Amino acid sequence: MSGEFFGSWGSRPKCRMDGQQNAMNSGSRPGKNRWLRSWEKKVVQGATLVYLDEVGFSLKGVRRRTWSTRGVTPLVILPANWEKLSTIGAITSDGRFFQHTKPGAIRSRDVTRFFQHLLRHVQGEIVVVLDNAGIHRAKATQAFVELHERLSLVFLPPYAPELNPIELVWAYVKRNVLGNFCARSVGVLKAKLTTAWQRVRYIDLPQHLMNSNLCRYQ
């Protein structure tokens, strides 16, 4: 299997998931409230919550604001190449970060292999929160989940990316690591992403995101 996995250990979030969730009952849609309550009990009982998502990185780069001489428009020269790398990643409720990066698109078999990796490295019951992508609802994916009692899936409501904090990891990488970076090959892009994943762990970004995310529902 190509690519690399990285795990980052962290302390438990300081915010405690109580039975009363005042923030959930003020201003959010009823459907989202029901979704939140569906996994809250398992987390209180000790299950590890895992937010999972996929993202693509292409050689066309990410344009960002930059400095330039007055009157001179800065140019970012990009290769005419549509090759890309895809990453499947997850952050856990105890602040760990896992990812697998590979050429091309993420397939259902990559999802099940990623689940296997989570089962090896995360003890106890695992509740994976993910969107309704076809690779997540594929027969092979569902069959794998049914074979593993420790693993359960909770699907996000439609059009609710704000409920998945790992989206902020992808945004951070694109903004702060890949902004105005022009990779000339997939190998160069992969090396840059390796630096990005190390940076995400170094600044303890998953832990900060999980703390903020759980605190929202106190």
Side-chain angles (χ1 to χ4, degrees), residues 63-129:
R63 290 187 302 170
R64 297 285 298 164
R65 289 182 179 273
T66 187
W67 294 95
S68 177
T69 304
R70 184 185 296 274
V72 178
T73 301
L75 297 178
V76 178
I77 301 175
L78 304 173
N81 191 320
W82 290 95
E83 288 186 89
K84 72 171 187 176
L85 295 173
S86 296
T87 295
I88 179 172
I91 58 177
T92 70
S93 51
D94 56 3
R96 283 175 281 176
F97 173 61
F98 301 98
Q99 64 81 23
H100 170 60
T101 299
K102 57 164 285 187
I106 299 294
R107 308 294 184 185
S108 57
R109 63 178 177 272
D110 299 309
V111 176
T112 55
R113 289 175 182 174
F114 193 76
F115 285 165
Q116 288 176 332
H117 183 76
L118 291 175
L119 288 166
R120 285 195 298 269
H121 292 274
V122 180
Q123 301 299 314
E125 188 171 0
I126 303 172
V127 180
V128 180
V129 179

Side-chain angles (χ1 to χ4, degrees), residues 87-201:
T87 295
I88 179 172
I91 58 177
T92 70
S93 51
D94 56 3
R96 283 175 281 176
F97 173 61
F98 301 98
Q99 64 81 23
H100 170 60
T101 299
K102 57 164 285 187
I106 299 294
R107 308 294 184 185
S108 57
R109 63 178 177 272
D110 299 309
V111 176
T112 55
R113 289 175 182 174
F114 193 76
F115 285 165
Q116 288 176 332
H117 183 76
L118 291 175
L119 288 166
R120 285 195 298 269
H121 292 274
V122 180
Q123 301 299 314
E125 188 171 0
I126 303 172
V127 180
V128 180
V129 179
L130 65 177
D131 61 29
N132 287 271
I135 55 175
H136 299 158
R137 290 193 175 275
K139 290 182 179 179
T141 305
Q142 298 302 314
F144 179 88
V145 174
E146 291 177 1
L147 291 175
H148 296 82
E149 294 183 0
R150 290 202 295 124
L151 181 65
S152 60
L153 306 184
V154 175
F155 290 96
L156 289 163
Y159 311 111
E162 72 277 5
L163 291 178
N164 195 337
I166 198 172
E167 296 275 5
L168 298 178
V169 174
W170 308 148
Y172 173 86
V173 169
K174 290 182 177 181
R175 181 177 62 252
N176 296 292
V177 181
L178 297 181
N180 294 337
F181 173 73
C182 302
R184 297 300 174 184
S185 68
V186 169
V188 173
L189 178 59
K190 185 174 182 179
K192 191 70 171 179
L193 286 174
T194 298
T195 300
W197 308 140
Q198 292 171 343
R199 188 172 184 180
V200 165
R201 292 184 298 154

Side-chain angles (χ1 to χ4, degrees), residues 22-39:
N22 297 329
M24 287 173 45
N25 298 321
S26 59
S28 58
R29 298 202 302 267
K32 291 185 179 181
N33 288 350
R34 287 194 296 271
W35 173 81
L36 288 164
R37 286 192 292 268
S38 70
W39 54 256

